[in-house]
Amino acid sequence: MGSLVLFCALLLFLQSYSLAFTTMSNGNDRKLPPPPKEGVAFNTLPWNLNLPDEHSYIHLTTTPDKGWTIEHYDPSTDGGTLTDSHKHYSSTPLALFPSTTSLNYGTTIWEGLACRRSPTSNKAVVFRPQKNYARFANGAKAMCLPAPSYELFMRGLQLVLQENAELIPPAPELDPETGVPQGGAKLYIRPMLLGSGQQLGLHASPQISLLFFVSPTGSYFQGKTMGGLKLHLERRRCRAARGGTGNVKCCGNYAVTMRPLIDAKEKGFHDNLYLELDGYHNPPPGTKSRLMQAVLQELSAANIFLVLKTGEIVTPSLKRGTILPGVTRDTILTLASEFKDELRPIMAESIKVAGMGEEKKVDDIEVTVSERDVRVEDLLNAAEVFVTGTAAEVVPVQSIGTSETPAEELDGEEEVAFSVKFPHGESSAGPVTTKLLEMLREVLAEKRSSEATKDWLCDVYASPEDFRKGRCD
């Protein structure tokens, strides 16, 4: 009798355990991710490669002539070499030769995505991977690499996440007053495409590697968001120029920012804000101040937004081809446009607290959202400034300023110092910055949606077809 009771108790436990990982959605069983790995302090993890002994990655290869075929992944059967190409991260390193194309000529592109647990449904969701694929395909063309199909890219993301699901951090806690999800750790995913063949000549690689690897991480600007960022206005060195690859997420765009970033940090800044140096050094005739008319680009790894006292939320345009089309950048533009009316009283509060000009009533405020050339002089009219990125989310900026250029680099040119401290951002984010971050986190937590956001969350444990379509219902 005792054995029968013990058996029944065990059966009930197993049924409960199974139900804990399954939820009903549209009449179909929908699996949930396993619990986070025990013994990991996810919320204290730095922005870095963490726990490499605990995760696996995917590695596929092809040639330029062959490209990516159904041998790699066949969506009609959900089969191919992709499904059995997992390798342990620490024990199975890449075999790269000294003559590897990407090591010699920099033919590497990559993407950055984040997977989080929803505090609403406990699903594991990836944010807007469709946008990442579009940028990935554009980068592949620029680097003379065959782009994988959309189906291969999405299934690769899905499989590497399922394989490493215990490394997805716990769902973020909700603010007890507002109910808005607070920030938290994420499982970062980096798809990569690189020339992995051997050669000395300057031409396309004879072999191409497609990889997907992960790492649980904290915030990119960890420990700096409460007080806002101090940015250095970089006038000597260039991140990107027109006609170059500034709009491609390739490794070279990050290599050129490393030395300036180290220099900026040594001077007490958190990051650099880059200018379009061609216009700065060759201003149109009659320009009173070449610095004030200089066009802003972006940070080392984040886009910039200004909240102006006119009610305009503006970010530098992509038309010059010098700025990376950030996914979070596009998200903030969409949310600000979609929920303008909700932002109006917030904008009025921002302008009022900033004390910038005549106080306006909410009915007199018109929130506009713009992509255009943003110049240094626009910073003087900003009530708030913030930056965006996959790793950073939305981070306030408290000040932007120049530093003294070494005399030997001036070439006889007169240098004008610049410094601006914004009304909001020194001790905490401004009202508009805060609201936009809340909107973003509400979307991530399935607490805010609209027609524009309906396919933004992709459920890792949905069917491959639903994952590709952005189904999270």
Side-chain angles (χ1 to χ4, degrees), residues 7 34 62 119 140 150 192 198 223-224 229 263 293 315 327 364 387 392:
F7 174 77
T62 191
Y150 177 69
M192 298 180 70
Q198 301 182 66
K224 304 186 182 91
L229 301 177
D263 292 345
Q293 290 300 310
T315 191
V327 176
D364 296 331
V387 302

Side-chain angles (χ1 to χ4, degrees), residues 2-307:
S3 298
L4 180 61
V5 172
L6 183 61
F7 174 77
C8 291
L10 179 61
L11 182 61
L12 286 171
F13 170 77
L14 291 173
Q15 287 176 335
S16 299
Y17 184 83
S18 176
L19 286 172
F21 292 90
T22 307
T23 187
M24 297 302 293
S25 176
N26 292 335
N28 298 316
D29 287 343
R30 181 65 60 83
K31 186 179 179 183
L32 295 179
K37 187 175 182 63
E38 293 184 0
V40 178
F42 285 99
N43 286 333
T44 65
L45 291 176
W47 170 249
N48 208 334
L49 179 69
N50 297 303
L51 309 175
D53 291 338
E54 304 294 336
H55 46 86
S56 63
Y57 69 98
I58 292 175
H59 183 199
L60 298 173
T61 61
T62 191
T63 63
D65 293 336
K66 185 177 181 181
W68 305 103
T69 69
I70 58 174
E71 291 181 17
H72 298 98
Y73 180 64
D74 185 350
S76 66
T77 63
D78 194 34
T81 55
L82 172 68
T83 59
D84 60 359
S85 295
H86 294 273
K87 303 178 187 297
H88 186 262
Y89 187 92
S90 293
S91 63
T92 318
L94 293 179
L96 297 178
F97 294 92
S99 61
T100 298
T101 310
S102 59
L103 294 181
N104 287 268
Y105 300 115
T107 55
T108 302
I109 63 167
W110 52 274
E111 280 298 321
L113 303 92
C115 179
R116 300 171 174 85
R117 291 178 195 265
S118 166
T120 303
S121 65
N122 204 34
K123 295 172 185 174
V125 294
V126 185
F127 187 62
R128 304 191 73 185
Q130 308 93 329
K131 295 288 290 185
N132 292 92
Y133 173 75
R135 192 169 62 184
F136 198 66
N138 177 66
K141 182 178 181 181
M143 295 290 111
C144 300
L145 303 168
S149 67
Y150 177 69
E151 293 79 8
L152 170 55
F153 180 86
M154 293 292 281
R155 190 59 172 144
L157 288 177
Q158 193 176 17
L159 289 175
V160 79
L161 287 168
Q162 290 177 0
E163 185 72 15
N164 295 281
E166 287 189 346
L167 295 177
I168 302 172
E173 296 181 357
L174 302 182
D175 186 293
E177 295 183 2
T178 65
V180 174
Q182 298 177 341
K186 59 188 77 71
L187 184 59
Y188 182 81
I189 319 108
R190 181 165 286 189
M192 298 180 70
L193 193 64
L194 61 139
S196 53
Q198 301 182 66
Q199 67 182 49
L200 286 180
L202 183 58
H203 50 79
S205 176
Q207 183 190 71
I208 294 89
S209 285
L210 175 64
L211 300 110
F212 299 86
F213 76 94
V214 303
S215 177
T217 68
S219 172
Y220 182 77
F221 291 110
Q222 197 168 46
K224 304 186 182 91
T225 59
M226 288 302 294
L229 301 177
K230 297 178 181 178
L231 299 183
H232 176 245
L233 196 62
E234 177 57 61
R235 295 180 290 184
R236 296 189 294 128
R237 289 166 292 194
C238 179
R239 177 194 167 272
R242 279 187 280 185
T245 57
N247 59 350
V248 176
K249 202 169 180 70
C250 60
C251 63
N253 281 344
Y254 295 86
V256 298
T257 68
M258 287 186 182
R259 183 72 259 171
L261 179 59
I262 291 172
D263 292 345
K265 289 183 176 181
E266 288 178 350
K267 295 173 182 175
F269 298 97
H270 294 122
D271 206 338
N272 287 300
L273 173 58
Y274 288 91
L275 300 175
E276 186 167 292
L277 289 187
D278 179 55
Y280 174 66
H281 288 299
N282 302 285
T287 300
K288 293 183 179 180
S289 171
R290 62 175 184 149
L291 178 61
M292 300 302 285
Q293 290 300 310
V295 175
L296 303 182
Q297 291 185 343
E298 60 178 309
L299 279 66
S300 303
N303 296 116
I304 189 165
F305 281 78
L306 281 62
V307 180

